[in-house]
Amino acid sequence: MAAKTLTIDGRLVSAQSEQTVLDAAREAGISIPTLCHLEGVSEVGACRMCLVEITGCPKLEPACVTRVVEGMDVRTGSDRLHEYRRMIVELLFAERNHVCAVCVANNHCELQDLAADLGIDHVRYDYLFPLLPVDISHERFGIDHNRCVLCTRCVRVCDEIEGAHTWDVAGRGGNARVITDLNQPWGTAQSCTSCGKCVQACPTGAIFRQGSTVGEMERDRSQLEFIVTARKKKQWIV
Amino acid sequence: MMTQTIVIDPVTRVEGHAKITIHLDDSGQVKDARFHVTEFRGFERFCEGRPLWEMPGLTSRICGICPVSHLLASAKAGDAILAVGIPPAAEKLRRLMNLAQMLQSHALSFFHLSAPDLLLGMESDPAKRNIFALIAAEPELVRSGIRLRQFGQEIIEQLGGKKIHPSWAVPGGVRSALSGAGRDSILARIPEAQATVLHALDRFKRLLSHVKGEAQVFGNFTSLFLGLVGANGNWEHYGGHIRIADGAGNIIADHLDPSQYREFIGEAVEPWSYLKFPYYRPLGYPDGMYRVGPLARLNICTRMGTPLAGSELREFREQGNGAVNSSFYYHYARLIEMLASVEGIERLLDDPDLRSRSESEEEPLLRAHAGINQLSGVGVSEAPRGTLFHEYHVDENGLVKSVNLIIATGQNNLAMNRTIAQIARHYVRSPRITEGMLNRVEAGIRAFDPCLSCSTHAGGMMSLHVILLDSAGRVLDERRRG
Ligand code: SF4
Ligand code: FES
């Protein structure tokens, strides 16, 4: 694997040719906000939080799906980027009903953290306030579509790590929803192994453990990474 | 018949936006009064479709003034749906929190909101009849009152971790115990809290002889009184059963199961208010009017159950004949309940159950875990302002299908109207609005300490809007202040 040298925020950084700009930046200790990105599963470039500016490139590029190129000159933070990121997060808040104060994930939520980091104290767009269902038919877990940001992290962990592919996405645009099996109540989804990986993966309070009350949903994402690393390195095979 | 209407709007230092109309007949006498609640937050609606476990957190946001009361009633409704008995430590911790809430809420009502009227006099300049003027006049009393409220809040914080909107009680129990350090710091402050309440009680009782006449026209009428009492008839705030007494102090119903409240409480609606009007079914509406809250609790209980508050209760009962009927004595009752709360808190802190440990763990058992075992549940507790009912219906997964809440202010609604009418009848002498009448109407409402989910205005000028209308709706007099 050939090494590439690029510049990120004025710093010379070296990376392997397979790496993404996001990986290279994080390895160099430069943080880029993300939402749909999850260590251990494939990238989809869906949320656009990780957009960066690349010299010579007329449009913004998502760092999580852009491979490093020799001599690349990347900027991860500018007023323009900040404004776009802010807009994305505000739109997510306006799209569904994220009421942090009564949410199971309060204080343990990536969406909330992003809003705080971006200094969002109000939303400029009209709230849509859709009346979305909550499915708590599963014995141990539940999903509140009101809090889903459609990052598809649940879909990917379920498919790529667990291999069950219980989760998927149905509908388009504003009608898009994550579904279990062929849009059946989660409790009746036969493919679900109740492994709980989606519970660890979800960045917001959308997927939760049954019985959770305000602020109780803490997640341990390192479990997912642990499984992926162990599998890749065949740590379980002696 | 010719009628005239006086409108007082908004009431200040009452927790909410409300409008008062005083209806005169053609001879200028007060016919009727209405306390209009036009604010509606639709909580019952937006709880629908939510998981049961979120209800304590959601409903504790109904009111920024008494989140703990809704939290506990909600958790109790949750217990009923899980069909579990909660661990003893959890019940006692919930009791501790409810007493702390009682204490801080009553302290706010008495020291911040009502003391200016009581101690500075109703005829005094409204600009000088507020908490700030009181601080200047009686710095020690006010300071100790503020500390008392803060003491109650500290206990809530020790338990729930957050002063306002704690989501600490959950269906099945509570989320965390009281730490040893927390217990010690509460215990250390008990003597001061007790001294503060005793001093305030003493001040109030000395004041009583001067305001007896006033108390006679201050919502002084017979009504039923409703509330929880303990198994032995003791004053109660968390469990027990419902007892109803009449205006002469006779117990007319006892050992009523709170979860069967629909059998004995009906709810009427009036087009001019968003609050429902609960009434005692056997007597019908509006004759089944009843009062809840401190005055009711002291009228229905057999004894307080703690020594200091117990002897105060005996003295208190001398104010009435069987039952104490003047709403003015809500203040008095509140003071005695503060004393009972301090005594109760001290007693609970010594309770070995609070420190009971399970065999293997550091923490006592605090939370019963269970699924949905009942499709409906009722949780009832005594909020500072009166008996609070939460009733939930859920589907088999625990999604809330419907919610019915009966709050204290709703139950006192009819009595508040009667209080206003009585005060107005006494002080309205012409189609003009006098300062003294305004002050007293306002103070009359404040005796009930109604919570209407808005914030208190503890200080500053009163902002009043008073309109006097004749039967044709013509404005006879109009006054604004503040
Ligand atoms: S449920 Fe959670 S993990 Fe799945 S798409 Fe929605 S926000 Fe992402
Ligand atoms: S993290 Fe890159 S697009 Fe979501």
Side-chain angles (χ1 to χ4, degrees), chain A residues 96 143-144 147-155 167 169 178 198 201-207:
Chain A
R96 297 198 179 176
I143 173 154
D144 181 352
R147 301 175 185 142
C148 172
V149 293
L150 293 170
C151 67
T152 70
R153 280 158 58 156
C154 52
V155 178
W167 289 102
V169 181
V178 286
C198 54
C202 182
T204 68
I207 298 183

Side-chain angles (χ1 to χ4, degrees), chain A residues 22 33-37 43-51 62-65:
Chain A
L22 178 66
T34 58
L35 184 59
C36 65
H37 166 82
E43 304 289 358
V44 286
C47 74
R48 316 312 265 187
M49 277 307 297
C50 65
L51 288 177
C64 68
V65 288

Side-chain angles (χ1 to χ4, degrees), chain A residues 191-216:
Chain A
S191 65
C192 178
T193 62
S194 301
C195 71
K197 291 187 180 67
C198 54
V199 182
Q200 303 296 10
C202 182
T204 68
I207 298 183
F208 54 90
R209 274 184 291 276
Q210 288 262 10
S212 301
T213 61
V214 182
E216 275 191 308

Side-chain angles (χ1 to χ4, degrees), chain B residues 404-422:
Chain B
N404 191 40
L405 308 179
I406 301 187
I407 61 166
T409 300
Q411 294 167 96
N412 279 334
N413 206 348
L414 288 171
M416 289 199 299
N417 294 345
R418 292 222 14 206
T419 301
I420 300 163
Q422 190 178 46

Side-chain angles (χ1 to χ4, degrees), chain A residues 65-85:
Chain A
V65 288
T66 305
R67 302 238 175 265
V68 292
V69 171
E70 182 65 37
M72 215 180 205
D73 179 28
V74 180
R75 281 168 312 278
T76 70
S78 67
D79 288 350
R80 176 164 72 138
L81 289 172
H82 186 268
E83 185 47 33
Y84 277 127
R85 288 172 184 156

